Amino acid sequence: MTMKILVVGGGGREHAIAQALSRNKETELYAVMARQNPGIARLCSHYLLERETRVDSVAAFALKESIDYAIIGPEAPLEAGVVDRLEADGIPCMGPSRAAARLETDKAFCREMMEQHGIAGCPRYRIFREAEDAVRFLETHDGDMAVKPAGLTGGKGVRIMGEHLDRKGAIEYIRSLRSDIVLEERLIGEEFTLQAFTDGVHIVPMPLVQDHKRAYEGDEGPNTGGMGSYSMPDHGLPFVTESDRRRALGIMQSAVAAMGEAGTPYRGILYGQFMNTRDGPMVIEFNARFGDPEAMNVLSLLETDLVDVIERAVEGTLSRGMVRFSAQATVCKYLVPEGYPESPVTGQPVSPGAYDPALLYYANVEEKDGVLFTLSSRTMAFVGVAATLAEAEEIAERAASGVQGRVRHRRDIGSASLLKRRVDHMRELR
Ligand code: AMP
Ligand code: GLY
């Protein structure tokens, strides 16, 4: 029986979702995206170009096309209540309700939930409604802190003392914020991402991935949405022990259980951003969706039919044994416009060279008369998949350096020297 699936979102992550769904030949794909992603458009029977947060338009399109299931890529439509609306209209979703998505969309809620339910891995934190209270706290407490606006900022709102800011800068930054503020202890360690499918009770982990938020090589420069990421053939990371990994998964399992107990069951993809510290993994944040770029790593390895995973998640019958990922390494490199993220050059022609065997996922790019043009955000990504990290890196790097146009990428992602730095840092801490 043909299954009609709607993908909400139009970035690299959603192209990877659509690509994975399209491996099921019985599926018809549909999309709602703000801009026409050429990769998604080619995979779809129909699509609607519309802001993904316009809940009425998304629901009307889904009903008109008799959609069976929807999967939501980005956080903004989750926060806008797209899942609540589609489910009220009888369309089950892979993605949490607005209330459950607060795990991501409200950082204060997330920390309070962790504390109330005694969930491990929560750093010391304080929440402030008034900027001056946060300033006073900072002035009377030693130690570096992370300064976070409580709401969504596209991954660009967090500033870390000792990294981006000194104490004086932190105070200025706090005074510039117009939302509730979370101050938390600065965690020292190595970051990793653990994503999982969940039906609200069962949780199925995906391979670990390491993202690279900083704009420039050697982890310099401002934070971005993520410049690229890699994963290893054994689905672990060399600076994360088996016990760290189990502990991180346990934390995610507890978060899902807590959301159920609170009457806001969490179904969809849960993304845990962890800092692996001297004392084990601590939660930097949860996201209510796949990571972008991390979705491109794990979905390029997924051997199980993603349609089947969605059906089982909706039925509540997910199990670990049913989801398989190929035992290969992946390296994902994003091309971004020159000047990204601060002052990206937009409207520039860009053309991928011969990139085979890399996989190409389109992101924030516009196609006019067969020519691609940059927009202001990440342009496109290449993923290398191979038996070893070195081979996967070489495939992705060759593809990324073959692109013509005013774009750049980080050459160091997935390189042996960068990995060694991570491992050495962890060894130093432990
Ligand atoms: P977020 O938007 O919460 O993912 O934060 C963006 C980045 O800030 C993370 O990827 C970390 O690199 C960093 N970060 C967030 N919270 C902390 C923390 N408590 N300690 C150290 N770094 C942090
Ligand atoms: N790669 C980080 C994120 O998707 O939030």
Side-chain angles (χ1 to χ4, degrees):
M1 199 182 73
T2 304
M3 200 62 82
K4 296 184 166 191
I5 307 214
L6 172 65
V7 179
V8 176
R13 162 183 51 207
E14 290 77 24
H15 186 185
I17 293 172
Q19 188 72 50
L21 290 167
S22 74
R23 285 179 224 137
N24 178 324
K25 295 300 167 214
E26 310 252 285
T27 299
E28 273 180 24
L29 286 181
Y30 296 78
V32 178
M33 46 192 167
R35 290 187 178 273
Q36 181 176 323
N37 176 312
I40 299 175
R42 282 199 264 284
L43 293 169
C44 282
S45 309
H46 285 121
Y47 55 87
L48 172 70
L49 297 182
E50 172 64 285
R51 291 235 305 269
E52 296 121 18
T53 48
R54 292 256 162 89
V55 173
D56 289 339
S57 313
V58 177
F61 178 73
L63 286 173
K64 179 168 79 78
E65 301 292 357
S66 309
I67 295 298
D68 293 298
Y69 296 104
I71 175 164
I72 320 301
E75 59 278 20
L78 296 171
E79 189 181 42
V82 130
V83 168
D84 307 66
R85 175 59 180 277
L86 288 173
E87 296 203 329
D89 287 339
I91 301 167
C93 294
M94 190 67 174
S97 67
R98 177 189 208 156
R102 283 180 77 201
L103 215 42
E104 166 170 6
T105 62
D106 184 344
K107 291 185 197 294
F109 169 85
C110 172
R111 291 311 190 200
E112 284 170 338
M113 187 280 301
M114 291 185 76
E115 184 173 305
Q116 276 160 19
H117 291 264
I119 297 176
C122 187
R124 286 190 301 273
Y125 74 94
R126 291 283 296 263
I127 297 165
F128 299 93
R129 314 277 167 220
E130 298 293 335
E132 286 313 313
D133 293 339
V135 168
R136 219 162 301 128
F137 182 84
L138 204 65
E139 282 171 343
T140 51
H141 285 77
D142 291 334
D144 286 341
M145 286 182 214
V147 184
K148 305 185 171 191
L152 290 179
T153 58
K156 293 160 200 134
V158 174
R159 300 278 191 286
I160 313 296
M161 285 168 62
E163 265 184 57
H164 312 104
L165 303 166
D166 56 13
R167 195 162 294 263
K168 191 163 153 275
I171 290 171
E172 273 166 31
Y173 183 55
I174 289 171
R175 288 195 167 127
S176 77
L177 294 175
R178 291 288 161 268
S179 63
D180 289 358
I181 294 156
V182 182
L183 291 186
E184 58 190 38
E185 69 179 293
R186 178 187 177 195
L187 302 165
I188 306 286
E190 281 298 326
E191 287 183 56
F192 68 90
T193 301
L194 173 56
Q195 303 169 94
F197 297 110
T198 177
D199 57 14
V201 176
H202 311 100
I203 167 163
V204 177
M206 304 186 219
L208 298 185
V209 184
Q210 188 174 45
D211 183 21
H212 297 76
K213 291 237 176 205
R214 298 303 197 93
Y216 306 117
E217 275 146 38
D219 294 326
E220 301 287 335
N223 272 350
T224 68
M227 293 294 295
S229 44
Y230 66 91
S231 72
M232 304 295 284
D234 66 357
H235 301 163
L237 287 167
F239 48 85
V240 179
T241 65
E242 190 45 40
S243 136
D244 294 330
R245 191 206 321 217
R246 263 204 306 276
R247 182 155 162 218
L249 186 60
I251 290 171
M252 305 242 300
Q253 178 84 61
S254 307
V256 168
M259 295 304 284
E261 278 166 35
T264 48
Y266 187 101
R267 180 169 77 209
I269 288 105
L270 181 61
Y271 168 116
Q273 179 79 38
F274 291 92
M275 183 74 84
N276 208 18
T277 68
R278 197 187 53 188
D279 309 316
M282 303 286 285
V283 176
I284 289 178
E285 65 168 353
F286 290 117
N287 289 328
R289 48 166 178 88
F290 278 116
D292 188 349
E294 293 96 323
M296 293 184 268
N297 300 89
V298 295
L299 290 173
S300 300
L301 294 175
L302 182 66
E303 291 177 337
T304 311
D305 178 5
L306 182 56
V307 179
D308 209 25
V309 175
I310 293 176
E311 282 186 294
R312 300 275 294 259
V314 166
E315 278 169 13
T317 57
L318 267 185
S319 71
R320 224 170 144 159
M322 73 156 294
V323 184
R324 285 184 325 275
F325 293 88
S326 140
Q328 297 186 88
T330 63
V331 173
C332 173
K333 300 204 185 205
Y334 250 125
L335 277 301
V336 300
E338 285 174 12
Y340 172 86
E342 279 132 347
S343 45
V345 292
T346 62
Q348 299 296 314
V350 57
S351 75
Y355 56 84
D356 190 59
L359 307 170
L360 166 57
Y361 296 109
Y362 292 98
N364 197 227
V365 65
E366 195 167 33
E367 191 173 39
K368 278 191 277 193
D369 301 323
V371 181
L372 298 168
F373 293 90
T374 59
L375 296 166
S376 60
S377 196
R378 296 174 291 182
T379 310
M380 61 173 95
F382 291 102
V383 177
V385 180
T388 65
L389 186 70
E391 290 167 88
E393 196 276 333
E394 198 198 317
I395 292 169
E397 181 56 37
R398 204 179 326 123
S401 20
V403 176
Q404 305 277 318
R406 295 187 60 191
V407 287
R408 50 170 287 272
H409 69 280
R410 271 184 65 168
R411 280 166 218 285
D412 60 347
I413 292 169
S415 68
S417 59
L418 183 133
L419 205 67
K420 180 172 180 303
R421 256 192 29 216
R422 312 278 190 230
V423 171
D424 289 348
H425 184 209
M426 208 64 227
R427 204 169 285 145
E428 227 172 83
L429 289 175
R430 288 181 161 164

